[in-house]
Amino acid sequence: MAKNLVIVESPAKAKTIEGFLGKDFVVRSSFGHVMDLNKTKLSVDIENDFKPEYEISPDKKKVVTELKKMAKEAETVWLATDEDREGEAISWHLFNALGLTEDSTKRIVFHEITKNAITNAIDNPRGIDTNLVSAQQARRVLDRLVGYELSPLLWKKVKPALSAGRVQSVAVRLIVEREEEIKAFESVSYFRVVAEFQLTERENQQTFQAEYPVRFSTFEEAKVFLENHTGAEFKVASVEKKPAKKSPAPPFTTSTLQQEASRKLGFPVGKTMRVAQQLYESGKITYMRTDSVNLSNTALGMAKQEISKLFGKEYIRIRKFTTKTKGAQEAHEAIRPTYLSNQSVDRSDDEQRLYSLIWKRTIASQMSEAQLEKTTVKIDSSFAKEQFVANGEVVKFDGFLKVYIEGTDEENGNGKSGMLPAMESGDPLSLNVMNARQRFTKHPPRYTEASLVKKMEELGIGRPSTYAPTISTIQKREYIVKERRPSQKRNVQMITLQDGNVQEKMLTENGATEKAKLYPTDIGTVVNRFLVEYFKNILDYNFTANVEKEFDDIAEGKKQWNQMIKEFYGPFHDKIETTQETSGKFTGERLLGQDPETGKNVYSKVGRFGPIAQIGDTDSEEKPRFAGLRNGLSLETITLKEALGLFDFPRSLGEYENEEVTVAIGRFGPYVKHNKKFYSIGKEDDPSVINLERAIEIISEKRSADQKKIIKEFKEDEDVQVLNGRYGAYLVIKKQNYKIPKEHDPSELTLEDCYKISRDPKNMPKKRYNRKRK
DNA sequence: CAGTGAGCGAGCTTCCGCTTGACTT
């Protein structure tokens, strides 16, 4: 039996490290946290100094049993979890869960997975840092208290099953407020004048563009300006050259990797992390959840060698980057290829593309600056007060630009500045064409998943391991939706001066095809309004940054963790109680007007099942009528007419095959009903205008689709069917589903086989924990 | 992925952070 058991957090890491250590060492992983608060209750003893009630996480029981057994047999247990707050806590939890003793346990840390770093760590063990553990407890308990007291308040005041938390609620707030800014934004149009010139006395006919520095606010002004320039003369007033430098971006962290993969590969953040995980597990890249931009010396050495080999010595410039991120814990290296000599990997297409991005970014970060020459040419016009300006940029030495240019979030980079022809002050210029094109000021952009992560990181909210999950949580809760909404076309005026003539024309501008953007839902907006009104301090963008300072104090032993929690919890809990008692339902209710038929009030609000329209008052004797909001209607913008339209269902369309066809709106959207069967209506049809003809089409389409999924039917017993579902073939008998064991070929099944399968309890569907009640 | 198809109720829901597979009707 091995004398030494080393425990790390990740199994891939365990495998690598085991290779560095001798036979006397066995390396295993804890798979992250092993203990946590029970999730069915608060699990914080408020009366008893906020003592957290930990348990071994249900899904970690097996791992813990295994580790415990191995620990017992080992002479020394080395706790080698990450050197940050959470890692220290994991070590502490392992110490307790495995029943370790101080004599036989050592705590070691390393920041890079190299043989040197590991052996060095083994030579310098320490004890568990209890202050750091306390800081983690404070973090954990604070999050639990906030989450488990705010969420139930939302269930009572807004809608069941909602959630709130230190991180997710602020993320939602960012999106809601951005949307409000956009709504409040008034786009202003202006005219930008761009002229295209060439040197008059030059054989080389290279043209270049120059912009007039004044923007005109009206069409008339712009037109007058152009008209004045018929027959104008132009000459170069000045030429100014300035050297400039560009430096490469630092190596990837989780957040910057997500941003670049989104910009350059179009990956949503979840996909980036999945693909990176595969690369990590196959040993191609270092750990992908990190906030550090640091590269190990081994990596720098490899970079130097690789750059020299590929581009030459003059391209090498080794840099040590330092992080500027709030609250960064830097337990790992930056994300980089394990071996920089591999420019590509023989993996799936997605993995290859992401790997290549990581390789380029890493290499570029250790390459020389690019040397540029920026040229500014000013041009005199015989008619204009100001000078036209042309900007040019020439790359004198490409440096890191040879491999990598960081992407930007700007929607259309209009600063294109290429090469300018050589010229001198006094050179006469001829005008080819001058355009005054209408432009519109742009509202701030909606967040994409990746730009939201960037913002969260700036605010210090969330951690590398939670960015992607948080974004998926707030979508699951239906606080926000990710959508690619088509940008609207718009008419743009353009005035052109060419060959001494001024002409006007109208262009249609198609907005650029947009990436999927994040939009708040009605629920998200209402929940945010509630939280900002009653819990402003927690929704404050600086809340996390402020508590992080206190966690740091705890980690340094300058503050007691339960004291900190006590100071927070007192006022917080009071606020929960008073809000509970004094405030009514918070539904974002709006009175839209009166129903012309009954004279009753019509409202829009968030109901039990989501946004609804309501006719009649809730406290009146007669029950109000309800209808869910549909297709793009929103609480804030719905009109009385639209709301009343929702009550026009179910509507009869006529008869088909001697049965009535009706259209209605149900729980899962609009549907057509015919002969007790339901047929969903897709987005392309509007249920309020659909006619019988179209309904019949929908019915037939569905029937033929159903035909395709039937693998087998039996004349003898029509209740028995073999169907093709999303997980492959399955068996249905009287609406009960059964698994088909692997040894059967679904298309060969006989009726007897089917009965046999249905009698075997092994093939019964597993009970889902959260089954819908009838 | 396919399928689901009610009507303001009983009992359920929920946090953040660390890690990977399990395995579906």
Side-chain angles (χ1 to χ4, degrees):
Chain A
M1 194 73 251
K3 280 200 262 187
N4 297 283
L5 171 65
V6 181
I7 305 177
V8 296
E9 293 180 35
S10 141
K13 198 167 163 180
K15 218 170 88 191
T16 318
I17 292 173
E18 205 160 43
F20 295 144
L21 294 167
K23 278 201 193 84
D24 291 340
F25 287 82
V26 164
V27 188
R28 288 291 181 271
S29 97
S30 75
F31 295 84
H33 273 293
V34 293
M35 296 187 91
D36 194 12
L37 306 174
N38 181 295
K39 74 185 200 35
T40 62
K41 50 184 208 281
L42 188 65
S43 309
V44 175
D45 191 350
I46 310 283
E47 306 297 315
N48 198 356
D49 270 343
F50 303 95
K51 192 172 185 294
E53 292 150 14
Y54 287 113
E55 61 176 25
I56 293 172
S57 310
D59 58 328
K60 296 295 166 55
K61 289 230 161 88
K62 243 177 93 182
V63 183
V64 169
T65 323
E66 183 99 342
L67 290 175
K68 201 170 178 174
K69 200 175 126 216
M70 299 184 74
K72 212 168 251 170
E73 293 163 2
E75 263 170 42
T76 308
V77 177
W78 303 78
L79 299 174
T81 54
D82 299 345
E83 188 183 28
D84 58 17
R85 214 159 55 203
E86 300 297 328
E88 203 67 21
I90 293 174
S91 277
W92 167 241
H93 289 151
L94 284 169
F95 186 86
N96 292 322
L98 307 184
L100 305 179
T101 61
E102 269 177 49
D103 301 343
S104 61
T105 307
K106 283 175 175 156
R107 168 81 172 115
I108 53 167
V109 293
F110 38 84
H111 296 155
E112 39 182 82
I113 317 292
T114 56
K115 188 168 181 177
N116 245 340
I118 313 291
T119 43
N120 200 14
I122 296 273
D123 291 341
N124 295 287
R126 58 169 174 85
I128 291 173
D129 181 343
T130 49
N131 286 333
L132 201 49
V133 174
S134 293
Q136 193 274 345
Q137 298 219 57
R139 200 281 302 154
R140 183 69 192 90
V141 167
L142 179 87
D143 283 338
R144 174 51 70 93
L145 291 173
V146 169
Y148 273 41
E149 294 213 352
L150 272 186
S151 302
L153 188 64
L154 288 178
W155 306 343
K156 288 201 186 83
K157 298 298 177 187
V158 186
K159 182 176 160 332
L162 295 175
S163 67
R166 174 176 60 82
V167 171
Q168 59 167 282
S169 296
V170 178
V172 173
R173 181 180 183 185
L174 284 166
I175 294 163
V176 171
E177 289 190 345
R178 178 55 57 86
E179 198 65 27
E180 281 165 2
E181 276 177 67
I182 292 171
K183 269 190 199 132
F185 185 84
E186 282 177 42
S187 180
V188 179
S189 94
Y190 59 90
F191 287 80
R192 227 180 105 191
V193 176
V194 175
E196 189 184 282
F197 296 105
Q198 61 187 58
L199 286 149
T200 312
E201 299 159 359
R202 197 69 63 86
E203 279 167 35
N204 169 9
Q205 293 292 292
Q206 191 195 340
T207 62
F208 64 96
Q209 293 199 330
E211 186 178 341
Y212 193 64
V214 179
R215 294 172 166 190
F216 300 100
S217 47
T218 65
F219 178 81
E220 285 69 32
E221 286 172 82
K223 193 174 170 193
V224 168
F225 182 82
L226 259 63
E227 281 168 350
N228 283 344
H229 275 85
T230 44
E233 282 171 17
F234 301 92
K235 66 171 199 291
V236 176
S238 66
V239 177
E240 199 187 334
K241 289 188 181 179
K242 262 196 303 207
K245 282 187 276 196
K246 238 184 221 164
S247 303
F252 279 133
T253 61
T254 304
S255 148
T256 52
L257 176 68
Q258 289 173 351
Q259 288 159 44
E260 279 290 86
S262 163
R263 295 192 276 241
K264 293 195 163 154
L265 310 178
F267 287 4
V269 299
K271 176 170 181 177
T272 300
M273 295 314 283
R274 270 197 310 279
V275 176
Q277 177 89 29
Q278 289 163 348
L279 287 168
Y280 168 65
E281 283 174 12
S282 53
K284 303 298 181 196
I285 61 169
T286 56
Y287 196 58
M288 64 283 153
R289 289 185 278 264
T290 176
D291 50 20
S292 172
V293 287
N294 186 53
L295 294 177
S296 69
N297 286 329
T298 324
L300 295 178
M302 287 192 286
K304 205 167 173 177
Q305 204 181 349
E306 205 56 26
I307 296 164
S308 156
K309 194 178 90 193
L310 293 169
F311 312 111
K313 280 203 163 40
E314 68 277 23
Y315 280 90
I316 301 172
R317 166 134 184 230
I318 298 303
R319 292 180 187 79
K320 278 277 184 187
F321 290 91
T322 46
T323 183
K324 285 173 216 123
T325 307
K326 255 187 219 172
Q329 311 215 358
E330 305 205 66
H332 306 272
E333 267 189 80
I335 304 168
R336 62 160 172 95
T338 326
Y339 303 104
L340 282 167
S341 50
N342 295 338
Q343 276 194 54
S344 60
V345 286
D346 191 15
R347 307 276 304 172
S348 75
D349 197 40
D350 282 341
E351 282 171 78
Q352 172 50 44
R353 294 210 292 156
L354 192 68
Y355 180 84
S356 164
L357 196 64
I358 296 169
W359 185 86
K360 286 179 183 164
R361 175 91 165 207
T362 311
I363 287 285
S365 77
Q366 303 305 324
M367 289 176 69
S368 336
E369 292 164 334
Q371 307 289 341
L372 311 171
E373 186 180 75
K374 290 196 169 172
T375 310
T376 307
V377 176
K378 299 213 167 154
I379 297 157
D380 278 331
S381 146
S382 54
F383 283 101
K385 249 190 273 171
E386 305 291 325
Q387 293 171 317
F388 283 77
V389 180
N391 288 309
E393 190 178 282
V394 180
V395 177
K396 292 280 179 187
F397 175 68
D398 53 0
F400 77 95
L401 293 177
K402 232 184 175 66
V403 285
Y404 186 85
I405 301 168
E406 188 177 29
T408 60
D409 287 327
E410 263 86 87
E411 303 208 315
N412 48 348
N414 240 329
K416 70 168 175 192
S417 50
M419 243 217 295
L420 293 175
M423 51 190 137
E424 278 169 38
S425 108
D427 284 351
L429 295 168
S430 345
L431 176 74
N432 285 347
V433 60
M434 190 187 293
N435 285 319
R437 188 189 173 112
Q438 189 178 23
R439 301 269 165 183
F440 297 87
T441 52
K442 267 185 276 178
H443 61 70
R446 290 190 177 83
Y447 288 105
T448 62
E449 287 192 352
S451 69
L452 181 64
V453 167
K454 183 179 177 188
K455 185 70 191 175
M456 288 170 65
E457 187 187 38
E458 278 168 24
L459 295 170
I461 297 165
R463 303 276 311 127
S465 67
T466 61
Y467 294 137
T470 301
I471 285 176
S472 103
T473 299
I474 58 181
Q475 293 182 67
K476 231 185 277 162
R477 299 267 174 279
E478 298 182 324
Y479 289 152
I480 66 164
V481 284
K482 186 170 88 172
E483 275 177 19
R484 199 188 306 259
R485 297 190 186 165
S487 51
Q488 65 270 50
K489 285 182 186 172
R490 106 159 116 194
N491 289 328
V492 173
Q493 289 174 307
M494 169 117 135
I495 317 166
T496 302
L497 166 63
Q498 193 162 24
D499 304 327
N501 291 316
V502 173
Q503 284 184 332
E504 301 162 21
K505 60 182 162 188
M506 197 65 110
L507 309 170
T508 20
E509 207 171 62
N510 287 328
T513 41
E514 283 213 34
K515 278 199 197 115
K517 296 282 171 67
L518 305 178
Y519 295 81
T521 63
D522 282 335
I523 306 287
T525 310
V526 168
V527 167
N528 181 252
R529 212 181 298 150
F530 175 83
L531 292 173
V532 170
E533 185 170 333
Y534 294 102
F535 297 91
K536 210 171 177 50
N537 63 326
I538 290 169
L539 272 279
D540 190 300
Y541 291 123
N542 288 316
F543 179 72
T544 291
N546 293 338
V547 293
E548 280 288 341
K549 271 185 218 134
E550 300 199 62
F551 296 152
D552 287 347
D553 285 346
I554 294 167
E556 287 165 33
K558 290 193 274 192
K559 190 156 194 169
Q560 290 280 321
W561 78 266
N562 28 22
Q563 183 58 33
M564 181 230 154
I565 296 294
K566 192 173 162 189
E567 284 161 20
F568 165 78
Y569 186 73
F572 170 69
H573 186 71
D574 286 349
K575 187 73 189 168
I576 294 270
E577 300 238 294
T578 53
T579 310
Q580 173 106 269
E581 283 152 21
T582 58
S583 90
K585 274 256 179 193
F586 197 94
T587 58
E589 184 177 274
R590 272 177 67 223
L591 178 62
L592 305 177
Q594 280 73 38
D595 175 15
E597 269 178 46
T598 61
K600 286 178 180 172
N601 286 332
V602 180
Y603 302 95
S604 68
K605 65 181 205 183
V606 172
R608 187 83 183 63
F609 298 109
I612 51 170
Q614 173 181 336
I615 301 182
D617 286 275
T618 316
D619 49 10
S620 70
E621 283 169 35
E622 221 178 317
K623 270 192 178 177
R625 295 172 65 205
F626 301 97
L629 259 48
R630 296 292 158 199
N631 51 6
L633 294 175
S634 133
L635 282 187
E636 311 241 330
T637 58
I638 188 172
T639 62
L640 179 62
K641 196 170 156 241
E642 286 168 333
L644 293 171
L646 297 171
F647 291 90
D648 290 342
F649 301 99
R651 188 160 61 90
S652 179
L653 298 179
E655 279 201 355
Y656 175 56
E657 295 173 347
N658 300 323
E659 294 281 347
E660 193 185 16
V661 179
T662 54
V663 58
I665 295 181
R667 191 135 75 109
F668 310 105
Y671 63 91
V672 167
K673 193 177 172 186
H674 172 250
N675 193 14
K676 289 177 201 148
K677 286 206 172 84
F678 295 88
Y679 304 88
S680 281
I681 299 177
K683 279 215 174 74
E684 63 282 5
D685 287 294
D686 181 347
S688 55
V689 300
I690 198 164
N691 57 22
L692 182 62
E693 196 188 346
R694 177 65 189 143
I696 292 170
E697 257 175 60
I698 291 171
I699 292 171
S700 326
E701 277 167 23
K702 170 81 161 47
R703 282 179 182 169
S704 66
D706 281 350
Q707 265 319 309
K708 278 185 203 142
K709 54 171 269 201
I710 297 175
I711 299 176
K712 259 202 129 129
E713 278 181 314
F714 302 95
K715 272 189 228 103
E716 303 90 315
D717 187 346
E718 289 187 350
D719 286 333
V720 180
Q721 285 182 312
V722 181
L723 300 180
N724 209 352
R726 60 174 156 161
Y727 306 116
Y730 67 102
L731 174 65
V732 186
I733 301 179
K734 290 193 177 160
K735 290 194 175 166
Q736 178 69 261
N737 297 327
Y738 301 91
K739 252 193 307 208
I740 299 174
K742 285 199 179 82
E743 60 267 26
H744 290 284
D745 179 344
S747 56
E748 302 287 316
L749 286 173
T750 65
L751 191 56
E752 274 315 303
D753 292 335
C754 290
Y755 288 140
K756 210 186 280 169
I757 288 170
S758 73
R759 279 193 296 267
D760 187 343
K762 271 210 313 271
N763 300 323
M764 286 294 284
K766 292 234 165 70
K767 275 243 166 59
R768 292 253 302 267
Y769 171 64
N770 199 356
R771 189 165 274 283
K772 276 226 171 68
R773 289 159 303 103
K774 277 273 159 188

